[in-house]
Amino acid sequence: MGANSLLKCFRILFLVLVATQVDGGVTKHYTFDIKLENVTRLCHTKSIVTVNGQFPGPRIVAREGDTLLIKVVNHVQNNISIHWHGIRQLQSGWADGPAYVTQCPIQTGQSYVYNFTITGQRGTLFWHAHISWLRSTLYGPIIILPKPNVPYPFAKPYKEVPIIFGEWFNTDTEAIISQALQTGGGPNVSDAYTINGLPGLLYNCSTKDTFKLKVKPEKTYLLRLINAALNDELFFSIANHTLTIVDADAVYVKPFETDILLITPGQTTNVLLKTKPHSPNATFLMAARPYATTGLGTFDNSTTAGILHYESTTKSSKNLPIFKPSLPPLNDTSFATNFSKKLFSLASAQYPANVPNKIDKRFFFTVGLGTSPCDQQNQTCQGPNGTKLSASINNVSFILPNTALLQSHFFGQSNGIYDTDYPYSPTHWFNYTGNPPNNTMVGNGTKVMVLNFNTSVELVMQDTSILGAESHPLHLHGFNFFIVGQGFGNFDPNKDPKSFNLVDPVERNTVGVPSGGWVAIRFLADNPGVWLMHCHLEVHTSWGLKMAWLVLDGKLPNQKLPPPPSDLPKC
């Protein structure tokens, strides 16, 4: 064979390889070494659990269609599991990560390889620990780029910057939640909020720990915002700048401009920041502080701030005036409601909004706080009237088993592990948002809701005022859903569905159930496995505000959950 023929063959082979990469993606490998690291914030040094010694943890970058193999090695005394928040995990439920739901935790000295493919998603998600309160320090961004040669549905940004919000505690978060569960009262709140792990200049002893973003004039930056805070929804704004929202929970949305946005724990939002035409002789704070509704308990009433400054300013940055953004009042539910109503799916030919129209199953779930008896007789707890604080869905406060639900289901060993009689609606009707009932006690158990494969679901989640109305950011594992309606007061099944948006509702994986109101979502149960749904306020999850959906296998091979990997952790 001549040189020209060989060159032609190589060219053909190269084109075939490129086509394979474009269509099927590539495989990317990461290693997460879980280990302790001393970190100082607010003049307090403590040993925290990290990935590869980093806080926040390392950034995962992939394209739509790529496969990720992430080996997690546990070098600490805590049990570990990692959740890839928002990843659909189609037929890869063993990689979802919540401890005692899809896997037993990774014990000291053990490792586990999370193996999953990113299908039909592009944007920003994040990973975090999914056991106890370890996600206070174990978290990091997941950046999903479009497939090669597929552009964004908006102007290509000059630069992309992940901004991840968190909470800093001067003391050990494991001790905080352990004490709270033992006493039955509310846990201590955080000492600061953070931007990319840094509290910022508005806190004492924190000026040097401030995130700084240097920008050029007349450029467009894509800010990838992530709320990884443990327990607080956050308002965010950049002084004297307007943001254009283009993506929510790794789904493109109809772009709209805003000076302020709200982001709840578990949500991500991509925004375009258009810088000013010329370098101003000023710096600008980017600030976040909590949106706190009137529920029971205290919260961290403080503000984290970073600095936005321009290159080529004529003065020293130390002498420049600083502009601060104006954020809404802490309990501004009106802003929160109006903001959420501005989010719509693109609903284009390339990015359709496939809202289920024919509904197979309708559910009505009450969501809220309540109480439980103290664990021991003659003991007085710190909750209302000497009880323990609890939380529930349809008056079921969820108890995690001692073995993984998905393993129990797959091997047909569910007897004694979980029950399948989860209530479709509350057992007793009451005025959910009016005067609370006299009995505030909740039931408890390990119950799952069983769905046949491809069941189309409509779920209404209703906040309750049993111990005070409160917003609840609910996250559904394994699925995206469409937010078709929301309102205040008690949901009216005869009137409210008439105003549902079935054309271009926003598609998300985490939604805030409004304080004193309701939200309606729809999703297609096209992913076999056991999928957790829970409040992303970690304290509410600890109190039992969670449940699980069990989606049965379909008839075709690509509709079945494969066997577990050989290195799946054992309990």
Side-chain angles (χ1 to χ4, degrees):
M1 184 180 291
N4 289 337
S5 298
L6 278 173
L7 183 61
K8 186 176 181 180
C9 287
F10 280 127
R11 285 174 176 169
I12 293 172
L13 177 61
F14 174 76
L15 290 174
V16 169
L17 290 173
V18 169
T20 302
Q21 177 173 330
V22 170
D23 293 339
V26 300
T27 299
K28 306 195 73 173
H29 296 262
Y30 289 85
T31 298
F32 278 20
D33 283 309
I34 311 295
K35 57 185 180 179
L36 296 176
E37 189 77 16
N38 286 335
V39 173
T40 302
R41 298 289 186 269
L42 309 179
C43 285
H44 286 262
T45 300
K46 68 173 186 176
S47 181
I48 65 172
V49 182
T50 70
V51 168
N52 300 344
Q54 301 176 38
F55 172 68
R59 184 184 311 178
I60 289 176
V61 181
R63 291 191 180 274
E64 177 188 352
D66 284 354
T67 295
L68 292 172
L69 294 175
I70 305 171
K71 184 177 182 179
V72 177
V73 187
N74 186 6
H75 302 283
V76 300
Q77 294 304 308
N78 308 78
N79 286 345
I80 296 295
S81 72
I82 303 291
H83 171 51
W84 317 96
H85 184 107
I87 297 290
R88 285 289 316 275
Q89 299 292 0
L90 291 167
Q91 287 191 287
S92 56
W94 303 107
D96 192 42
Y100 301 107
V101 178
T102 60
Q103 66 168 93
C104 295
I106 306 167
Q107 299 176 30
T108 306
Q110 294 183 346
S111 65
Y112 179 47
V113 177
Y114 292 89
N115 182 349
F116 56 89
T117 299
I118 300 171
T119 305
Q121 295 180 284
R122 75 293 300 171
T124 305
L125 297 171
F126 71 115
W127 59 263
H128 62 79
H130 212 300
I131 182 168
S132 192
W133 276 26
L134 289 177
R135 76 175 181 89
S136 64
T137 60
L138 278 175
Y139 60 83
I142 301 175
I143 295 171
I144 307 173
L145 303 172
K147 291 182 178 181
N149 303 317
V150 177
Y152 293 127
F154 45 82
K156 183 179 179 180
Y158 169 73
K159 191 175 181 181
E160 302 184 10
V161 182
I163 294 180
I164 188 162
F165 304 108
E167 286 182 87
W168 171 263
F169 296 77
N170 285 333
T171 54
D172 178 24
T173 52
E174 292 302 279
I176 289 173
I177 185 57
S178 177
Q179 181 184 29
L181 293 178
Q182 184 177 1
T183 63
N188 293 339
V189 300
S190 59
D191 295 282
Y193 299 105
T194 58
I195 297 177
N196 290 347
L198 303 172
L201 71 170
L202 300 183
Y203 293 100
N204 291 331
C205 194
S206 188
T207 301
K208 67 180 180 61
D209 291 327
T210 299
F211 173 69
K212 296 178 181 178
L213 176 60
K214 182 183 290 187
V215 297
K216 294 183 177 181
E218 210 163 13
K219 298 289 185 182
T220 299
Y221 291 79
L222 178 65
L223 306 183
R224 297 176 174 270
L225 307 178
I226 302 165
N227 189 347
L230 270 187
N231 289 310
D232 287 287
E233 304 177 75
L234 297 170
F235 295 118
F236 175 74
S237 181
I238 302 177
N240 294 25
H241 288 75
T242 298
L243 304 173
T244 302
I245 295 181
V246 294
D247 184 298
D249 289 359
V251 181
Y252 297 131
V253 299
K254 288 184 172 69
F256 69 94
E257 292 186 349
T258 184
D259 296 331
I260 305 165
L261 60 86
L262 175 67
I263 184 167
T264 79
Q267 288 185 341
T268 63
T269 306
N270 282 3
V271 301
L272 297 178
L273 167 68
K274 182 68 180 293
T275 56
K276 298 181 181 300
H278 306 285
S279 293
N281 286 322
T283 57
F284 307 89
L285 289 192
M286 49 178 77
R289 77 175 184 195
Y291 162 56
T293 48
T294 56
L296 192 71
T298 57
F299 60 95
D300 179 359
N301 182 7
S302 65
T303 303
T304 181
I307 293 178
L308 176 77
H309 63 103
Y310 282 72
E311 295 182 0
S312 305
T313 51
T314 58
K315 298 180 181 179
S316 168
S317 60
K318 293 182 180 179
N319 301 320
L320 292 174
I322 298 178
F323 290 92
K324 299 179 180 180
S326 177
L327 292 169
L330 293 167
N331 60 349
D332 196 340
T333 296
S334 175
F335 176 90
T337 303
N338 291 332
F339 176 78
S340 64
K341 288 182 177 179
K342 295 177 183 178
L343 290 162
F344 296 94
S345 290
L346 272 185
S348 64
Q350 187 174 4
Y351 303 106
N354 296 316
V355 191
N357 284 305
K358 179 182 175 297
I359 298 300
D360 300 317
K361 295 281 187 181
R362 285 183 166 86
F363 304 98
F364 181 78
F365 286 0
T366 54
V367 178
L369 306 184
T371 59
S372 294
C374 280
D375 293 333
Q376 298 177 5
Q377 289 184 338
N378 302 321
Q379 179 187 6
T380 300
C381 288
Q382 296 178 3
N385 301 316
T387 62
K388 289 177 60 175
L389 288 169
S390 292
S392 65
I393 299 176
N394 274 355
N395 208 46
V396 179
S397 185
F398 193 83
I399 298 175
L400 285 172
N402 294 321
T403 188
L405 295 172
L406 186 57
Q407 289 171 271
S408 303
H409 159 65
F410 186 86
F411 293 109
Q413 299 171 345
S414 62
N415 188 32
I417 304 297
Y418 63 82
D419 296 316
T420 57
D421 58 345
Y422 202 94
Y424 280 47
S425 59
T427 307
H428 302 289
W429 183 91
F430 63 96
N431 185 0
Y432 306 115
T433 55
N435 292 327
N438 293 327
N439 183 7
T440 63
M441 292 292 185
V442 304
N444 57 63
T446 307
K447 299 175 183 287
V448 302
M449 180 69 76
V450 180
L451 297 173
N452 288 322
F453 182 81
N454 255 11
T455 297
S456 56
V457 174
E458 179 180 285
L459 169 62
V460 175
M461 291 180 282
Q462 171 77 58
D463 181 38
T464 65
S465 57
I466 293 176
L467 293 182
E470 188 163 1
S471 176
H472 301 278
L474 265 291
H475 171 52
L476 176 61
H477 290 227
F479 303 94
N480 279 355
F481 51 76
F482 293 93
I483 304 172
V484 297
Q486 62 179 342
F488 289 102
N490 296 330
F491 175 73
D492 187 334
N494 297 316
K495 181 186 69 175
D496 290 324
K498 295 177 182 178
S499 62
F500 283 0
N501 176 9
L502 303 180
V503 177
D504 59 353
V506 67
E507 181 181 352
R508 306 204 74 144
N509 63 60
T510 304
V511 60
V513 179
S515 175
W518 56 270
V519 65
I521 66 172
R522 290 186 175 187
F523 67 94
L524 183 66
D526 59 352
N527 196 5
V530 178
W531 305 106
L532 190 65
M533 187 176 79
H534 62 100
C535 184
H536 226 271
L537 303 180
E538 206 64 38
V539 61
H540 291 177
T541 301
S542 300
W543 288 339
L545 211 165
K546 50 187 177 253
M547 56 84 65
W549 304 85
L550 194 167
V551 180
L552 302 175
D553 282 346
K555 296 180 179 179
L556 302 177
N558 64 351
Q559 299 172 346
K560 298 180 185 294
L561 180 72
S566 59
D567 63 338
L568 188 71
K570 306 293 191 298
C571 285

